[in-house]
């Protein structure tokens, strides 16, 4: 009882006294505190939910938070929850002027909280239109040993309030003027508080699910169509480990005819997921029981166990992970079951992963897909963009999985000074191509049909599928069997005769170009046979096979290939490993799959 009373008095005193700066910094790092809002835009009368979060917190037993806000536009309402629901003892909230002070403490002999925590959540009411600012200015924390620390904080967030404001009153019974409501952005859907479900999982992770209202979604899609927009952005508020958007499937299917080109873009603090509505046409949705069904898009931070295992697996390879590991999922939920949609067929879906540092050399960094069950890691097409001293990595792939960004630099002794050195080492650093040994690439070695098909599949990030048996002359035990069969599934390769692929035959330059143009057609959603160019300007064009003529002409017109000499293409010459690497890089750059 003595301990409970003492901590109660300590909490009370936090409100009225200044406590010396305590020496409670964790070995894991200095705590930081942030403030987040549930929405970037609201309407007058809506609630504005302010969440105070702590990162790298150690032994948090009690605390005091001081929050300043725009009292002209916001009205303090209540405290909704605190510290992941784990600190539920005596609490005090006092509001005066434009400041709210909130304090809380545990009771009894229990340990403090550690890690990344939701400290508290406060609710304000939007009362006047305009930009309203909220700022966390000071945090005082107390450990289970009653050691206090004061943290000066300058964490701010801004909300735009749309609505009406009363004009000045007129004399003689005349009415005031009214400012018309600010028109909502038809391309932005900000979930209201009533649409948000915030929870804490059994393992301590915090989650937020935006359950989108059917009528509001239908109206947003109609507004988007009226403005000829193609992207509907959804904002998931806060900085929680688990983030989900739950969409009513019947509404999406009803709107599909008029919105087949619309992108549903989900944005959270972890990154972005762009889902084309056209994927609803695939067979996964054809037989679904639509009534009450929902489509769930998830952007989750991977469990620390997976990150630890991944970091251990790459450390001996000289690689470094520079981002969170993000798990992207799309789930079809009906009244009977939940089914994860793993593949989108020929549709390449874009995601964005945030890296909290500026990656100077994108040729030595890449996104990878990781399978925690097997420990296997593979290249994923990814484009790096610098923004505000940080890096946004656009990941493009036709499947969902667990992704991370790594840095890796690979060089070969026999490529120094070679005309293809830059291209070869870039693709090797991205784990698309391998050397013939750890230090050699052997650039003049000739390439087989199976080897080039495998390079294409790897470069496009296509999941190699075991169990397919397309060609009679490829045994399932061959190392290249999954890649060649996958290339055939996506229409990248054809056989040389019925049921025959000739995997060990050396690939010719014209065969390589045909495959590369089919790969570009797959990513761009166009047919290789629809190439507009048909005339070839090479002096040896008569040596081209009929099946390769349009592909070579199209590739040449796009600047993707050059002659072996100034006037000749040498279509029947066998391609080398150096030439194959250069072609793969050109394919990926032209298709916007790498920088």
């Amino acid at each position: 009882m003595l301990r409970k009373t003492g901590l109660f008095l300590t909490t009370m005193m936090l409100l009225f006294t200044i406590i010396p700066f305590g020496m409670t910094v964790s070995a894991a790092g200095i705590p930081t505190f942030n403030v987040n809002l549930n929405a970037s835009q609201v309407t007058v009368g809506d609630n504005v939910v302010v969440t105070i979060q702590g990162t790298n917190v150690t032994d948090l037993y009690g605390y005091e938070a001081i929050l300043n806000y725009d009292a002209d536009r916001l009205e303090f309402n209540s405290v909704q929850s605190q510290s992941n629901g784990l600190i539920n003892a005596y609490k005090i909230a006092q509001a005066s002027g434009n400041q709210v002070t909130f304090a809380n403490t545990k009771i009894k002999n229990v340990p403090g909280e550690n890690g990344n925590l939701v400290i508290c959540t406060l609710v304000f009411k939007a009362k006047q239109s305009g930009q309203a600012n909220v700022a966390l200015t000071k945090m005082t924390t107390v450990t289970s040993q009653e050691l206090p620390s004061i943290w000066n904080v300058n964490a701010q967030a801004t909300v735009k309030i749309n609505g009406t404001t009363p004009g000045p009153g007129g004399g003689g019974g005349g009415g005031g003027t009214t400012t018309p409501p600010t028109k909502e952005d038809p391309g932005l859907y900000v979930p209201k508080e009533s649409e948000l479900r915030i929870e804490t999982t059994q393992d301590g992770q915090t989650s937020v699910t935006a359950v989108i209202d059917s009528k509001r979604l239908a109206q947003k899609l109609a507004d988007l169509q009226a403005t000829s927009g193609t992207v509907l952005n959804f904002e998931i508020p806060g900085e929680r480990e688990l983030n989900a958007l739950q969409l009513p499937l019947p509404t999406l299917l009803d709107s599909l005819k008029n919105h087949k080109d619309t992108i549903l873009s989900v944005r959270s603090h972890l990154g972005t997921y762009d889902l084309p509505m056209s994927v609803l046409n695939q067979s996964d949705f054809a037989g679904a029981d639509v009534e009450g069904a929902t489509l769930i898009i998830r952007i989750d931070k991977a469990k620390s166990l997976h990150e630890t295992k991944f970091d251990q697996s790459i450390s001996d390879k000289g690689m470094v992970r520079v981002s969170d590991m993000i798990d992207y999922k799309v789930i079809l939920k009906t009244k009977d079951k939940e089914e994860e949609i793993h593949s989108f067929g020929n549709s390449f879906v874009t995601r964005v992963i945030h890296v909290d540092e500026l990656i100077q050399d994108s040729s030595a960094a890449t996104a990878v897909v990781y399978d925690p069950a097997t420990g296997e890691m593979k290249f994923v097409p990814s484009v790096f963009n610098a923004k505000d001293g940080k890096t946004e990595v656009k990941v493009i792939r036709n499947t969902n999985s667990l992704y991370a960004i790594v840095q890796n630099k690979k060089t070969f002794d026999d490529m120094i000074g070679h005309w293809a050195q830059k291209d070869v080492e870039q693709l090797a650093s991205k784990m698309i191509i391998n050397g013939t040994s750890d230090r050699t690439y052997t650039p003049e070695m000739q390439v087989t049909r199976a080897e080039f098909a495998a390079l294409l599949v790897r470069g496009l990030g296509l999941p190699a599928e075991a169990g397919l048996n397309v060609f009679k002359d490829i045994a399932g035990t061959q190392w290249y069997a999954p890649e060649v069969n996958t290339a055939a599934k996506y229409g990248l390769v054809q056989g040389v005769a019925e049921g025959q692929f000739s995997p060990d035959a050396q690939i010719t330059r014209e065969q390589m170009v045909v495959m590369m143009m089919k790969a570009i057609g797959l990513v761009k959603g166009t047919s290789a046979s629809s190439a507009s160019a048909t005339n070839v300007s090479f002096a040896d064009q008569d040596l081209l096979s009929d099946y390769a003529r349009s592909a070579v002409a199209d590739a040449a017109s796009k600047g993707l290939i050059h002659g072996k000499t100034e006037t000749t293409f040498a279509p029947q010459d066998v391609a080398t490993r150096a030439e194959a690497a250069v072609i793969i890089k050109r394919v990926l750059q032209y298709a916007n799959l790498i920088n």
Side-chain angles (χ1 to χ4, degrees):
M1 187 65 184
L2 178 62
R3 178 166 178 80
K4 176 180 177 181
T5 304
L7 282 170
F8 170 81
L9 293 175
T10 299
T11 304
M12 291 291 291
M13 290 173 64
L14 288 176
L15 295 171
F16 306 111
T17 63
I18 299 177
I19 303 173
F21 194 99
M23 301 300 291
T24 59
V25 177
S26 162
I30 298 175
T32 58
F33 301 93
N34 294 297
V35 58
N36 295 287
L37 306 182
N38 67 316
S40 58
Q41 292 189 60
V42 297
T43 304
V44 169
D46 286 348
N47 283 341
V48 178
V49 182
V50 179
T51 302
I52 297 174
Q53 295 177 301
T55 302
N56 220 18
V57 176
T58 303
D59 193 20
L60 180 65
Y61 197 92
Y63 63 86
E64 177 195 73
I66 298 179
L67 193 77
N68 290 338
Y69 64 98
D70 185 342
D72 291 332
R73 293 182 171 87
L74 294 173
E75 178 181 334
F76 175 64
N77 189 345
S78 65
V79 176
Q80 191 177 64
S81 62
Q82 52 281 335
S83 188
N84 288 327
L86 297 174
I87 297 182
N88 291 316
Y90 192 85
K91 53 184 178 289
I92 304 168
Q94 63 179 34
S96 59
N98 67 337
Q99 189 176 92
V100 175
T101 302
F102 176 77
N104 209 348
T105 183
K106 284 178 174 286
I107 58 174
K108 301 182 181 179
N109 295 319
V110 293
E113 302 301 326
N114 299 282
N116 301 333
L117 306 174
V118 175
I119 303 296
C120 61
T121 303
L122 301 98
V123 180
F124 294 79
K125 184 177 181 179
K127 64 179 185 178
Q128 183 175 311
S129 62
Q131 296 283 347
N133 189 59
V134 177
L136 177 66
T137 59
K138 183 179 291 186
M139 282 291 300
T140 304
T141 59
V142 179
T143 70
S144 58
Q145 302 303 312
E146 301 185 29
L147 295 175
S149 295
I150 296 178
W151 310 97
N152 291 318
V153 184
N154 185 25
Q156 300 189 36
T158 301
V159 61
K160 180 180 179 181
I161 302 174
N162 302 316
T164 59
T165 54
T177 60
T178 301
T179 303
T182 303
K183 189 174 181 180
E184 279 194 20
D185 181 352
L188 178 63
Y189 191 116
V190 179
K192 296 181 179 179
E193 184 190 357
S194 59
E195 295 174 281
L196 297 177
R197 306 288 184 269
I198 300 174
E199 301 172 317
T200 302
T201 64
Q202 290 183 341
D203 57 2
Q205 289 184 305
T206 56
S207 73
V208 56
T209 302
V211 182
I212 299 305
D213 178 76
S214 177
K215 291 182 179 179
R216 193 176 172 211
L217 175 61
Q219 185 62 54
K220 271 290 184 183
L221 288 169
D223 293 344
L224 185 70
Q225 183 183 14
T227 60
S228 301
T230 57
V231 180
L232 181 55
N233 296 286
F234 296 86
E235 297 277 3
I236 298 182
E239 295 189 7
R240 298 170 178 87
E241 293 96 334
L242 309 177
N243 304 266
L245 183 78
Q246 185 169 308
L247 298 157
L249 185 60
T251 305
L252 294 177
L253 294 176
D254 288 344
S255 306
L256 182 58
K257 181 179 179 180
N258 296 324
H259 294 275
K260 62 181 185 299
D261 297 324
T262 297
I263 304 293
L264 305 175
S265 182
V266 186
R267 303 192 301 208
S268 81
H269 74 104
L270 293 174
T272 306
Y273 191 111
D274 292 345
L275 184 70
M277 280 185 63
S278 59
V279 303
L280 299 175
N281 285 316
Q282 66 185 58
S283 59
D284 300 87
F285 301 94
D289 185 358
V290 174
E291 185 179 356
T294 58
L295 184 70
I296 303 171
I297 303 172
R298 300 203 62 90
I299 305 175
D300 297 336
K301 187 177 184 299
K303 295 181 179 179
S304 58
L305 176 65
H306 291 158
E307 290 185 328
T308 300
K309 183 178 177 182
F310 177 80
D311 291 342
Q312 291 172 344
S313 70
I314 67 172
S315 62
D316 59 346
K317 300 175 184 177
M319 300 181 190
V320 178
R321 177 170 62 89
V322 293
S323 74
D324 287 328
M325 185 172 286
I326 310 298
D327 194 3
Y328 293 93
K329 290 181 180 178
V330 172
I331 299 168
L332 174 60
K333 182 179 180 181
T334 63
K335 60 183 178 181
D336 298 324
K337 61 180 179 179
E338 287 190 12
E339 180 182 0
E340 186 175 346
I341 309 300
H342 292 283
S343 175
F344 302 116
N346 291 1
S347 297
F348 283 71
V349 175
T350 299
R351 310 150 188 83
V352 173
I353 296 178
H354 298 151
V355 179
D356 290 332
E357 62 181 77
L358 186 62
I359 295 178
Q360 302 286 354
D361 184 8
S362 63
S363 67
T366 184
V368 294
V369 58
Y370 177 65
D371 185 346
T374 63
E376 188 177 27
M377 174 184 62
K378 293 182 179 179
F379 162 82
V380 177
S382 42
V383 177
F384 291 69
N385 296 300
K387 185 175 181 180
D388 301 328
K390 299 181 181 181
T391 307
E392 290 185 347
V393 185
K394 185 182 295 184
V395 179
I396 310 101
R397 197 168 185 243
N398 67 334
T399 63
N400 288 322
S401 197
L402 208 57
Y403 299 104
I405 311 302
V406 300
Q407 286 185 310
N408 180 41
K409 183 67 175 177
K410 184 66 178 176
T411 60
F412 298 106
D413 293 340
D414 60 350
M415 291 303 299
I416 298 174
H418 193 280
W419 63 271
Q421 178 182 359
K422 183 178 179 180
D423 294 345
V424 166
E425 293 184 346
Q426 178 178 350
L427 296 194
S429 297
K430 292 181 179 290
M431 296 173 287
I432 299 172
I433 61 176
N434 300 314
T436 51
S437 73
D438 187 54
R439 298 303 310 165
T440 59
Y441 180 70
T442 319
E444 304 311 318
M445 180 183 288
Q446 294 173 337
V447 179
T448 68
R449 286 168 52 82
E451 288 170 340
F452 190 75
L455 284 178
L456 268 185
V457 168
R458 267 184 247 151
L460 297 179
L462 298 174
E465 300 182 33
L468 294 176
N469 188 20
V470 179
F471 300 107
K472 297 176 183 177
D473 57 350
I474 296 181
T477 55
Q478 295 287 349
W479 69 265
Y480 49 72
E483 284 85 0
V484 173
N485 286 320
T486 298
K489 173 185 174 181
Y490 286 96
L492 304 180
V493 300
Q494 292 177 322
V496 295
E498 186 175 351
Q500 303 292 316
F501 183 70
S502 296
D504 298 322
Q506 293 165 341
I507 194 168
T508 63
R509 284 167 55 83
E510 69 175 9
Q511 289 174 343
M512 191 166 60
V513 172
V514 170
M515 290 187 193
M516 77 178 281
M517 296 313 293
K518 287 182 176 180
I520 289 173
L522 173 65
V523 178
K524 296 290 188 180
T526 59
S527 171
S529 62
S530 65
S532 57
T534 56
N535 295 323
V536 182
S537 59
F538 298 113
D540 58 350
Q541 59 181 314
D542 291 342
L543 298 178
L544 280 166
S545 301
D546 289 340
Y547 74 87
R549 189 172 297 275
S550 63
V552 171
D554 197 25
S557 70
K558 289 179 168 62
L560 294 171
I561 59 171
H562 307 287
K564 200 163 187 177
T565 69
E566 289 186 4
T567 58
T568 62
F569 178 65
Q572 304 304 326
D573 282 9
V574 176
T576 66
R577 282 169 56 81
E579 290 173 328
V582 171
I583 287 293
I584 294 293
K585 180 182 175 182
R586 288 176 184 168
V587 168
L588 299 183
Q589 286 185 325
Y590 185 81
N592 296 318
L593 298 181
I594 63 172
N595 293 84

